[in-house]
Amino acid sequence: MKEEGIELIKDGKRLDGRGFEELRPMKIEVGVLKRADGSCYFEIGNNKALAAVYGPREMHPRHLQNAKTAVVTYRYNMAPFSVDDRKRPGPDRRSVEISKVSRDALDPVILTEYYPKTAIDIYVELLQSDAGTRTAGINAASVALADAGIPMRDIVSSVAVGKIDGEVVLDLNAAEDNHGEADMPMAMVTRTGTITMLQMDGRLTKDEFERGLKLATNACREIYELQRTALIEKYSESVGGGEE
Ligand code: ADP
């Protein structure tokens, strides 16, 4: 981020033609993996994220069990072919950090107290990356958890806002992330407005922060509707005898 020298806004539009408050086009599909207890494919712009959820299942090794709650694990992984330059396979500092913040973004809505001594494992694979991958992963994982039948207080939705050429904008793409002034990924329980993740790379004034928060809240409402509709569609199909 913060490489100088690229004009990111021309004639009031962003380089990909979007307005400042516009999300990239999204696609969602529930239950795409047969062997997972729950799964979801989520696409936003050029990001393609696949989430698989397993559990609740007995936690091994047993010394990691929690006697009172399920233990939620989250692994974020970017495929080597997901970016322009091949990414070295395997975990690195960035993916360890993203896995931790994403886990913490979802943990508050999961009723872990229902399943003591168990593990709920979430795997998120990024097949294609174009900035906003942690937020895409959280959106996919949240729906995959619901698809796995894991009791939750609510669904978490996630998006980033940022600042490019002095303007607060929604849902940065990679060029905007690399050349912009700030990037602020967030996750929230849309219905209550409870924020479960907030990170900031770069700087925003208080006013810009508040404007960003408003943009993100509205966008999360849109994402939440998409997540909810996808789940309802899948389960009404199953009940109606459609294809599973
Ligand atoms: P996020 O994807 O959540 O916005 P970052 O801000 O860390 O997270 O990354 C922004 C984008 O930079 C990624 O979506 C990806 O397109 C690119 N990127 C990140 N890490 C690498 C890497 N190791 N190699 C190539 N591109 C990367």
Side-chain angles (χ1 to χ4, degrees):
M1 127 160 286
K2 276 169 275 329
E3 294 164 27
E4 301 294 329
I6 281 198
E7 206 184 353
L8 295 167
I9 297 178
K10 274 189 194 148
D11 305 326
K13 291 270 177 208
R14 295 152 76 176
L15 292 184
D16 58 9
R18 278 186 294 156
F20 300 166
E21 307 188 1
E22 218 176 306
L23 284 167
R24 289 172 282 184
M26 296 182 284
K27 245 192 231 170
I28 191 164
E29 203 176 331
V30 186
V32 287
L33 300 172
K34 275 215 168 355
R35 301 202 205 300
D37 294 318
S39 57
C40 176
Y41 171 77
F42 182 78
E43 201 176 289
I44 179 160
N46 290 320
N47 291 305
K48 297 176 189 236
L50 191 56
V53 167
Y54 296 84
R57 58 187 179 185
E58 196 179 347
M59 176 96 191
H60 287 292
R62 290 178 81 170
H63 72 267
L64 293 178
Q65 287 180 355
N66 183 322
K68 296 206 169 129
T69 71
V71 173
V72 179
T73 71
Y74 190 112
R75 196 194 70 172
Y76 163 102
N77 182 53
M78 220 162 68
F81 52 81
S82 70
V83 284
D84 280 344
D85 305 321
R86 175 180 179 274
K87 186 210 163 269
R88 201 161 166 252
D92 48 30
R93 271 183 58 172
R94 177 178 172 275
S95 64
V96 169
E97 177 223 310
I98 293 179
S99 299
K100 189 200 176 303
V101 296
S102 305
R103 193 211 81 87
D104 292 352
L106 292 166
D107 190 59
V109 297
I110 304 172
L111 293 160
T112 51
E113 57 273 28
Y114 284 14
Y115 302 104
K117 299 186 184 173
T118 68
I120 296 171
D121 299 313
I122 307 168
Y123 297 91
V124 170
E125 297 290 327
L126 266 303
L127 309 176
Q128 202 169 277
S129 308
D130 188 35
T133 58
R134 77 194 65 200
T135 54
I138 291 169
N139 290 330
S142 188
V143 172
L145 282 164
D147 183 41
I150 289 170
M152 292 155 80
R153 292 180 181 85
D154 218 321
I155 284 177
V156 171
S157 306
S158 183
V159 77
V161 289
K163 186 172 156 189
I164 57 168
D165 291 358
E167 299 283 350
V168 176
V169 299
L170 182 66
D171 185 26
L172 305 187
N173 62 28
E176 294 172 332
D177 189 351
N178 289 335
H179 303 284
E181 293 113 75
D183 174 31
M184 183 168 78
M186 303 175 60
M188 64 177 79
V189 181
T190 306
R191 287 199 305 170
T192 58
T194 309
I195 292 170
T196 60
M197 178 187 80
L198 196 151
Q199 298 186 284
M200 169 115 68
D201 187 8
R203 284 189 191 170
L204 295 177
T205 64
K206 186 166 175 283
D207 283 352
E208 288 165 348
F209 173 82
E210 276 164 10
R211 184 163 155 61
L213 184 60
K214 214 173 185 180
L215 283 188
T217 306
N218 288 338
C220 281
R221 284 200 190 111
E222 208 177 309
I223 295 166
Y224 171 74
E225 272 314 311
L226 189 82
Q227 292 170 305
R228 203 175 73 94
T229 310
L231 282 163
I232 290 171
E233 268 172 16
K234 178 181 173 199
Y235 285 97
S236 53
E237 253 173 40
S238 316
V239 171
E243 236 192 324
E244 288 240 32

